[in-house]
């Protein structure tokens, strides 16, 4: 009998495994051949402390020391740009992300391809970081394995039932029994809940597409900051000498192996092109992932009020990488009875019972 059976081998499940393996025996079940195949392998890999609702920001802050000690952060910086027509969206973003307005000359010194005929305002936050997401995932997996956890791939969960002591779980890779079940199945968290006879919480996967394009006009983009269009209408970020550009769409979808929508991608690249002097001539690659949100766009962390042996680790939305150390530590603190690092009102804002 395992203490904690974790469903999902993305950053949520693996970070939970690293933390919970200090409290008891852990097995992670992942459907795919490889870890981090879905959302966790498709992110923009940014850490921006002020991105998200207050409870997400609290988790981001609580994550910073871990990210630093795991040596997964490198400086990136974040620029916000806007046109005169986007004045209101721009002002709201500057306030929400606590950015500092800069002159167009300063903006052009950082990103020389900005189009001053369109872009007439900019703001900057030097405190945004690239996350080495592979290294983060491997750090969590290595810690979990080091504490004796088992990580089982090709183990799609197909059935869950209650037992006298906890849960019995059938998978394509064998049968498992555990005292507690941790639901970290990303876009599939409500599917797993329904399978276990636990009422779903109304999670919605939202597709977000991404294109990889060559560096504009052969510029060396490595030191450019990430750049957001006002109102998160699109964004671009240097990526190993090229640029990734996202339409930043939030199209609702059922959970599935997501792929980019060509039309959405073309429209998003056109929004990017309106802001720069260099046209997009070709795509190197494209992909999409699902950002899965609770109805109030805040993570859901902790035991289900009606089924205390069923623990939610869900709704990471667009913040799952940056918030994972803080979120997984909170989960472990809730289970072990330790005082969480974040304030009680933030813990309550993340608790599953707020959605019942
Ligand atoms: C385009 C894009 C950009 C993003 N940018 C950022 C960013 O810059 N910074 C940031 O912090 N976050 C970002 N995110 C968000 C981040 O990627 C997610 O919040 C995070 O990866 C979610 O992790 P997860 O483990 O919950 O989900 P996933 O990585 O999807 O993992 C869930 C796993 O559960 C498994 N599973 C599901 N059902 C079953 C079953 N029945 N049996 C067994 N296994 C099952 C799946 O196979 C999957 O591997 C971005 C996301 C996208 C899509």
């Amino acid at each position: 009998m395992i203490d904690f059976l974790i469903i999902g081998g993305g950053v949520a499940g693996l970070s939970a495994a690293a933390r919970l393996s200090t409290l008891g025996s852990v097995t992670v079940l992942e459907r795919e051949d490889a870890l981090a195949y879905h959302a966790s392998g498709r992110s923009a890999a940014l850490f921006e402390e002020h991105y998200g609702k207050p409870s997400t920001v609290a988790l981001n802050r609580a994550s910073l020391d871990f990210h630093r000690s795991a040596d997964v952060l490198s400086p990136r910086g974040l620029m916000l740009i806007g046109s005169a027509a986007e004045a209101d969206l721009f002002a709201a973003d500057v306030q929400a992300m606590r950015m500092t307005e800069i002159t167009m000359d300063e903006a052009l010194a950082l990103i020389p391809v900005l189009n001053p005929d369109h872009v007439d305002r900019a703001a900057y936050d030097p405190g945004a970081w690239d996350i080495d997401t592979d290294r983060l995932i491997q750090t969590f997996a290595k810690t979990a394995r080091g504490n004796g956890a088992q990580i089982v791939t090709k183990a799609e969960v197909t059935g869950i039932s209650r037992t006298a002591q906890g849960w019995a779980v059938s998978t394509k890779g064998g049968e498992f029994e555990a005292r507690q079940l941790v639901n970290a199945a990303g876009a599939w968290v409500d599917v797993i809940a329904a399978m276990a006879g636990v009422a779903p919480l109304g999670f919605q996967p939202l597709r977000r597409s991404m294109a990889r394009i060559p560096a504009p006009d052969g510029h060396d983009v490595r030191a450019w900051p990430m750049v957001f269009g006002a109102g998160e209408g699109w964004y671009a970020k240097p990526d190993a000498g090229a640029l990734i550009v996202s339409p930043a769409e939030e199209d609702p979808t059922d959970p599935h192996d997501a792929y980019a929508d060509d039309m959405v991608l073309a429209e998003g690249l056109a929004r990017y092109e309106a802001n720069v002097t260099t046209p997009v001539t070709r795509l190197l690659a494209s992909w999409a992932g699902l950002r899965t949100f609770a109805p109030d766009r805040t993570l859901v962390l902790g035991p289900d009020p009606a089924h205390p042996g069923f623990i939610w680790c869900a709704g990471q939305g667009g913040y799952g990488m940056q918030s994972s150390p803080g979120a997984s530590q909170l989960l472990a603190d809730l289970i072990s009875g330790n005082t969480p690092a974040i304030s009680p009102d933030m813990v309550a804002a993340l608790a599953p019972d707020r959605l019942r």
Side-chain angles (χ1 to χ4, degrees):
M1 168 80 64
I2 301 155
D3 291 317
F4 303 104
L5 198 51
I6 299 174
I7 303 176
V11 73
L14 294 169
S15 57
R19 306 294 198 176
L20 297 182
S21 56
T22 63
L23 303 177
S25 53
V26 166
T27 296
V28 179
L29 301 174
E30 167 54 48
R31 173 185 50 212
E32 309 294 346
D33 298 2
L35 301 174
Y37 171 81
H38 288 285
S40 300
R42 307 177 191 199
S43 87
L46 184 76
F47 183 98
E48 163 56 52
E49 182 177 322
H50 303 295
Y51 187 45
K53 293 259 177 112
S55 56
T56 307
V57 172
L59 293 174
N60 297 340
R61 268 192 204 124
S63 299
L64 202 46
D65 282 351
F66 181 97
H67 283 309
R68 287 207 172 109
S69 65
D71 198 19
V72 297
L73 297 183
S74 51
R76 173 55 57 203
L78 177 65
M79 190 189 293
L80 174 72
I81 59 172
S83 62
E86 294 166 332
D88 291 348
L89 291 172
F90 178 87
D93 285 349
V94 167
Q95 199 182 14
M97 291 196 279
R98 301 187 192 184
M99 300 182 81
T100 306
E101 292 198 46
I102 57 173
T103 65
M104 279 307 296
D105 282 347
E106 289 169 323
L108 282 161
L110 289 165
I111 305 181
V113 300
L114 293 179
N115 180 1
D117 292 339
H118 182 81
V119 181
D120 76 343
R121 61 203 67 208
Y124 185 63
D125 174 10
W129 307 81
D130 274 349
I131 308 173
D132 183 338
T133 55
D134 285 344
R135 188 169 181 151
L136 181 64
I137 295 279
Q138 291 313 323
T139 299
F140 287 135
K142 198 172 156 192
T143 304
R145 287 192 179 105
N147 292 335
Q150 273 204 313
I151 300 175
V152 189
T153 54
K154 300 184 200 173
E156 177 175 356
V157 172
T158 53
I160 304 173
S161 55
R162 296 299 302 253
T163 65
Q165 289 168 307
W167 303 91
V169 174
S170 305
T171 78
K172 292 189 175 166
E175 306 292 317
F176 297 84
E177 284 202 26
R179 290 188 179 81
Q180 309 207 51
L181 207 57
V182 179
N183 184 7
W188 291 266
V189 280
D190 270 347
V191 176
I192 293 295
M195 218 185 266
V198 173
L201 292 176
F203 287 95
Q204 179 62 66
L206 303 175
R207 189 200 58 233
R208 179 157 286 189
S209 304
M210 198 84 90
R212 195 156 196 277
I213 61 170
D217 269 356
H219 280 276
D220 182 352
V221 299
R222 284 173 299 177
W224 289 9
M226 184 169 186
V227 55
F228 270 49
E232 207 174 332
W234 60 273
Y235 62 72
K237 184 174 184 266
D239 180 50
L243 273 191
I244 51 174
V245 180
S246 175
E249 85 274 27
E250 295 201 330
D251 292 343
T253 170
D254 289 335
H256 70 292
D257 189 356
Y259 50 90
D261 179 303
D262 287 345
M263 187 57 78
V264 169
L265 212 52
E267 288 167 0
L269 286 169
R271 289 198 290 281
Y272 157 79
E273 279 182 306
N275 288 276
V276 294
T277 51
T278 45
V280 175
T281 49
R282 68 193 169 98
L283 292 193
L284 300 172
S286 69
W287 67 91
L290 302 181
R291 299 157 79 245
T292 299
F293 289 91
D296 59 3
R297 291 181 74 96
T298 290
L299 283 80
V300 181
L301 301 170
D304 188 275
H307 304 271
F310 186 92
I311 296 153
W312 294 90
C313 180
Q316 285 78 4
Y319 329 102
M321 289 293 163
Q322 60 181 23
S323 63
S324 56
S328 54
Q329 186 59 56
L330 173 60
L331 212 58
D333 289 340
L334 292 171
I335 290 168
S336 65
N338 283 343
T339 305
I342 63 172
S343 64
D345 57 326
M346 293 296 115
V347 176
L350 296 159
D353 56 5
R354 75 183 195 272
L355 298 169
R356 290 287 188 220

